[in-house]
Amino acid sequence: MINGKTSIDLSGGQMRRDTFLDNDEFQQILQNCMKKLPGNWFSAIQLKFMEEKNSELICQELEITPTNFWQILHRAKLKLRKMFRIKLVQKIE
């Protein structure tokens, strides 16, 4: 807790994935950030990481090439990381 507010420490890199997924605050931030992604970016992240679908099936469903899919994932993850940092700094202040 920092300044009376709950914080999520992303600096250590040692927190297990399931710990984040079970954290209500993390889930709320994630959902809010994902809603701000462009349509295909949101769908790619949702299908790949939340629904754990096969990349080939995702490409067919979104009607995109595998190269485009991986580029979308890369850009979406960078955007989410940036949004997370902004949200976490706001929480700390």
Side-chain angles (χ1 to χ4, degrees), residues 49-67:
F49 298 109
M50 307 304 190
E51 297 179 25
E52 298 180 344
K53 284 194 174 182
N54 177 291
S55 300
E56 191 174 317
L57 295 175
I58 296 170
C59 290
Q60 290 173 0
E61 187 172 327
L62 298 179
E63 298 179 349
I64 57 176
T65 65
T67 302

Side-chain angles (χ1 to χ4, degrees), residues 3 7 10-11 25 29 31 35 39 44 55 58-60 73-74 77 82-83 90 93:
N3 295 331
S7 65
L10 296 177
S11 61
E25 182 181 14
I29 293 170
Q31 291 304 315
K35 288 177 187 174
S55 300
I58 296 170
C59 290
Q60 290 173 0
L73 278 186
H74 175 69
K77 289 190 289 185
K82 182 178 180 180
M83 286 189 282
Q90 290 172 349
E93 293 176 344

Side-chain angles (χ1 to χ4, degrees), residues 5-16:
K5 295 184 180 180
T6 304
S7 65
I8 299 172
D9 181 15
L10 296 177
S11 61
Q14 297 298 317
M15 192 172 221
R16 291 182 26 200

